[in-house]
Amino acid sequence: MSTWDLPVDAFPFPPFEGGTFGDDFTDAVESAVDWLGCMVEDHLMNGTELPEMEFGHKPERGGTVIAVAVERKLEDIPAVTASEASRMMGVSTARVAQLVKSGYLDSWKVGGTRMVSLASVKARIESDPKPGRPRCETSEEK
């Protein structure tokens, strides 16, 4: 068994934080590409610049340094309008705006149209939030 067949941890270099892993080298590289793609999409949706990348890093924990690259465009991110998101979730467009503002839904504007990432809408639906305000605990429940 070669070292490429063993489980692998993958760590990004600054300015990024986090990491990923894989069952083997190929799986770890595929996970790193997915992770980097998500980071790039997050910057695109938030309208923020990507940090300048640096090369020439040395492994900090042993191992091998590899570089992965992705290409993403905002228009490639599956999205629906805020109105479509409200219908999918069964809430008002004002509630969608609240969820966007509070960070529960990822969104951006294309011209004058608010777009919401389909992945964040599906994640919100799957989390099965209960309607109404959260119940306040009484002194007897504490």
Side-chain angles (χ1 to χ4, degrees), residues 10 19-23 25-37 68:
T20 187
F21 62 93
D23 293 331
F25 183 76
T26 301
D27 190 37
V29 170
E30 289 171 356
S31 293
V33 168
D34 288 343
W35 177 87
L36 182 59
V68 297

Side-chain angles (χ1 to χ4, degrees), residues 34-98:
D34 288 343
W35 177 87
L36 182 59
C38 289
M39 294 296 294
V40 170
E41 288 176 0
D42 188 54
H43 281 272
L44 286 170
M45 288 186 285
N46 291 311
T48 57
E49 291 289 320
L50 284 165
E52 190 70 31
M53 299 311 304
E54 302 170 2
F55 296 96
H57 294 283
K58 304 283 184 233
E60 294 176 4
R61 299 173 180 90
T64 304
V65 174
I66 64 163
V68 297
V70 298
E71 182 178 349
R72 296 288 195 278
K73 298 178 203 155
L74 194 54
E75 55 268 17
D76 294 336
I77 301 171
V80 295
T81 65
S83 180
E84 291 167 328
S86 71
R87 283 192 293 279
M88 291 173 70
M89 295 187 301
V91 298
S92 68
T93 54
R95 180 65 179 141
V96 168
Q98 290 173 339

